[in-house]
Amino acid sequence: MDIFPRATDAKSMDDRRAVLTKALRMAGVALAMPLLGAATPYVRLEGEQGTTADEKDRFTREVEAINFHLLMQPAIQTQPALLALWANLDQFHRSARVDVYALKAKTAILAGANAITLTDPTSGRRWFQLAHSYARLGDAPSLIELAHARAANAELYWDSKGTKEANINAALAARRASSTQMEGMAQGMLARIAGRQGRAQAALRHAEQAVAFATDAGESPRLDLWSAPIAHGTAACALATFPELAQQAERHAQASLQGYPAEATHRRTQARFDIARVRINAEQLDGAADTIMTAIRQLPVEHLEPNLMAEVHELYDLAEQRHPRTRAMRPVREWLEALPN
């Protein structure tokens, strides 16, 4: 059985769009028209559903396919699949009256995480609310833990100064953690929060614990796995603002960069930006500029997503605050000025 079968019958598209629109409106998430158009052909009408066993198997494989690709491909490519999957799960639940709560919870977690890259905190927060609700309905403790950990991570992107919501979710993830994977993920979030709060030793302690709990497997990054490259990247992010921890922070960032497969372009770019942030805070502006430009040149243009663009601006502004119009950052400045408005 194929996953994400794509309809080509133009006459059925209005019906598919209606199913999709209804599901998203009931979920309370934003309806972005270009993404709706891209998702519509993947919506399955009631008569196209297989047996209960077949559909649950297909849904499981679709969720895992998205989980595998989420951190490996542009978010804008993943979002139509997530929206269609949500609509199909919603319709199947209503028509077949079958429990798909856990599948809906994991889909919502993936959608919430994808909203980070799309810089859409309003929809992202709503997705995490849905994830918590369905994880509880499905009596899935591991998904409740995962939802708290990923929500904490998301809040650290969406709230550039505060830590309240991130701290609440990270503390709940740590308290509920039932595996070393989840304990590592929670410790990673606590490290980033301590870094945001300026508590260097606490950040270092949590970062070391986060790395210790990580798996050594070299698999592609997945949202529900706490792998060594992700752990090292999180540690680097947590320690980057402390000049006295610059060596440790860069060591973690380099380990993260080297740990990702070549096709994980988004994650490798993030690792290079972490290295640049460490170097800016350590007053190594030439090295920071070289790292930023290397990241930009090695990233396919279609992968230069909103959150990565925002980070280039943020890194440039950070350097400018320290040394206005510095010659070291001239290549980055020229690149930013050349971007279309």
Side-chain angles (χ1 to χ4, degrees):
M1 178 183 292
D2 293 336
I3 61 172
F4 297 113
R6 189 178 191 279
T8 57
D9 178 13
K11 295 180 180 179
S12 69
M13 291 303 161
D14 286 344
D15 292 336
R16 298 179 197 280
R17 189 176 295 107
V19 171
L20 177 62
T21 302
K22 179 181 177 181
L24 295 178
R25 281 181 175 157
M26 291 183 67
V29 296
L31 305 178
M33 296 312 295
L35 292 173
L36 285 178
T40 294
Y42 298 97
V43 174
R44 297 193 285 277
L45 299 176
E46 187 171 339
E48 296 170 341
Q49 296 170 351
T51 66
T52 297
D54 285 344
E55 283 301 296
K56 291 191 77 171
D57 176 65
R58 188 191 339 237
F59 286 136
T60 299
R61 290 191 289 126
E62 287 176 343
V63 168
E64 287 310 300
I66 292 174
N67 191 19
F68 179 82
H69 290 290
L70 187 75
L71 300 178
M72 300 280 285
Q73 68 182 22
I76 201 73
Q77 292 180 13
T78 305
Q79 192 68 4
L82 279 165
L83 298 180
L85 174 57
W86 181 265
N88 289 332
L89 280 166
D90 192 68
Q91 177 169 250
F92 182 68
H93 174 68
R94 295 176 189 283
S95 62
R97 299 187 181 279
V98 174
D99 175 359
V100 288
Y101 293 136
L103 287 167
K104 292 186 82 171
K106 192 157 189 180
T107 301
I109 293 170
L110 295 170
N114 209 45
I116 299 173
T117 311
L118 295 173
T119 60
D120 183 7
T122 301
S123 293
R125 289 184 173 114
R126 178 56 185 157
W127 281 120
F128 281 120
Q129 289 173 355
L130 291 165
H132 287 301
S133 296
Y134 283 108
R136 285 176 171 79
L137 285 170
D139 191 23
S142 63
L143 292 178
I144 295 173
E145 299 166 20
L146 182 62
H148 281 303
R150 302 321 305 183
N153 180 64
E155 287 296 339
L156 287 165
Y157 286 99
W158 294 332
D159 187 346
S160 61
K161 297 180 180 179
T163 59
K164 180 180 177 181
E165 292 300 321
N167 207 9
I168 291 171
N169 278 292
L172 287 169
R175 187 184 309 162
R176 293 175 175 273
S178 58
S179 66
T180 55
Q181 289 279 293
M182 289 309 308
E183 181 65 29
M185 204 176 293
Q187 291 298 322
M189 297 308 103
L190 291 170
R192 288 192 61 195
I193 290 166
R196 175 78 61 82
Q197 294 172 338
R199 297 185 294 121
Q201 291 307 308
L204 181 60
R205 183 177 69 255
H206 288 302
E208 289 174 345
Q209 291 174 340
V211 171
F213 283 122
T215 64
D216 292 329
E219 70 273 339
S220 299
R222 289 165 51 104
L223 209 68
D224 56 352
L225 293 180
W226 189 244
S227 64
I230 291 177
H232 281 296
T234 302
C237 187
L239 305 180
T241 58
F242 303 108
E244 68 273 24
L245 298 177
Q247 288 186 340
Q248 293 97 316
E250 179 150 352
R251 186 168 64 247
H252 283 300
Q254 293 285 1
S256 177
L257 176 63
Q258 297 304 317
Y260 285 122
E263 61 269 23
T265 53
H266 187 284
R267 305 303 301 181
R268 290 173 63 84
T269 299
Q270 185 64 63
R272 287 192 169 95
F273 287 167
D274 288 338
I275 293 169
R277 187 179 301 276
V278 172
R279 291 177 176 177
I280 290 171
N281 287 319
E283 302 289 339
Q284 301 170 13
L285 297 188
D286 288 315
D290 288 344
T291 303
I292 293 169
M293 294 310 299
T294 296
I296 291 170
R297 293 189 189 104
Q298 295 191 4
L299 188 70
V301 65
E302 67 272 14
H303 286 215
L304 196 57
E305 299 186 272
N307 71 320
L308 295 179
M309 284 293 299
E311 189 149 6
V312 176
H313 282 280
E314 183 184 339
L315 291 169
Y316 175 74
D317 290 344
L318 180 62
E320 282 290 294
Q321 289 169 12
R322 294 172 176 273
H323 300 281
R325 305 298 290 182
T326 173
R327 289 177 60 86
M329 298 299 287
R330 182 177 176 180
V332 181
R333 180 165 58 248
E334 292 176 345
W335 183 83
L336 288 171
E337 290 172 348
L339 292 174
N341 294 326

